[in-house]
Amino acid sequence: MKNVNELLGLKNPAEVNEKLNELLASFQVYYQNLRGFHWNVKGKLFFTLHSKFEELYDDAAEKVDEVAERILTLGGKPLHTFDDYLKTSKIAVVKDEHDGLKLVEAAIDNISTLIRLEREIIPVAEKIDDEGTASLMSDFISEQEKTVWMLKALID
C-alpha cells in the first residue's frame, strides 16, 4: 500500500513539514500572546481592543489546527508541547504589557513575523509540487495582510 505522500504525489515533504512546524510553534506563541493582550489591555481603547484580541485569538486557534492537520496530511508530526513551541517559535513571548497601543504594535509585529514565515514556506512547497500547502499559506497571507493594515489604521 502506498503511503500518504505517494498518494498525494509529493516527493519529500520533510523540509515543508519542518517549516510548517516552525510556523505552528510561532502561531502558538502568537495565540498565547493574544490571550494575554485580551486579558490585560487597559486604556481608552479597552472595549475595542478587548474584542479585537478575542477575534484574533479565535482566528489563530483555527489556523493552528489547520497547520497541524497539514503537517499530518504530509506524513509529519506536529509539535505539541509548550517546550517545543518556545524553542522553535520565531515570535517572542510578550509579558506584563497593558498599554493598548503597545499591544497593537506587538500584534502587528507578531502577524508580520507569521507572514514572513508563510512566505518562506511557499517556495519550499512549490519545489515539491505541494499546491495544498502553498495555497493555504497564500490564503493566510492575504487575510493577515488585511489585518495588519486595519490594526495599523487603528493606531496611526
Side-chain angles (χ1 to χ4, degrees):
M1 176 105 181
K2 292 182 178 182
N3 69 31
V4 173
N5 294 321
E6 290 172 328
L7 291 170
L8 297 176
L10 300 175
K11 296 171 184 94
N12 182 5
E15 187 179 0
V16 174
N17 277 332
E18 182 180 324
K19 300 293 272 176
L20 285 170
N21 262 316
E22 186 177 87
L23 180 64
L24 177 64
S26 299
F27 257 114
Q28 288 285 35
V29 173
Y30 167 62
Y31 169 83
Q32 196 58 45
N33 280 345
L34 290 169
R35 294 300 304 235
F37 299 174
H38 170 76
W39 294 327
N40 294 301
V41 65
K42 293 181 181 178
K44 294 177 184 177
L45 294 174
F46 171 82
F47 287 105
T48 300
L49 293 178
H50 184 74
S51 295
K52 181 48 108 176
F53 291 141
E54 182 174 8
E55 176 188 319
L56 291 173
Y57 72 66
D58 285 344
D59 179 69
E62 287 180 29
K63 285 181 170 62
V64 162
D65 198 50
E66 288 183 64
V67 172
E69 288 176 354
R70 188 67 195 164
I71 293 166
L72 289 164
T73 299
L74 298 176
K77 181 180 174 186
L79 298 176
H80 60 275
T81 67
F82 288 112
D83 186 49
D84 286 340
Y85 298 150
L86 292 173
K87 286 178 187 172
T88 308
S89 176
K90 299 302 178 190
I91 291 178
V93 172
V94 178
K95 185 177 177 180
D96 296 329
E97 183 58 65
H98 304 278
D99 179 84
L101 294 178
K102 288 183 181 176
L103 293 174
V104 171
E105 289 171 355
I108 290 169
D109 183 58
N110 286 188
I111 297 167
S112 297
T113 298
L114 294 171
I115 291 169
R116 181 183 53 78
L117 294 171
E118 292 154 0
R119 284 187 177 136
E120 290 174 5
I121 292 169
I122 291 172
V124 176
E126 287 174 341
K127 187 169 64 175
I128 63 164
D129 297 325
D130 179 5
E131 178 62 31
T133 299
S135 177
L136 182 64
M137 295 302 103
S138 223
D139 291 346
F140 283 7
I141 291 167
S142 295
E143 188 180 318
Q144 292 164 329
E145 286 175 338
K146 185 175 180 180
T147 300
V148 167
W149 162 67
M150 291 174 135
L151 290 174
K152 196 87 172 100
L154 177 69
I155 62 172
D156 280 346

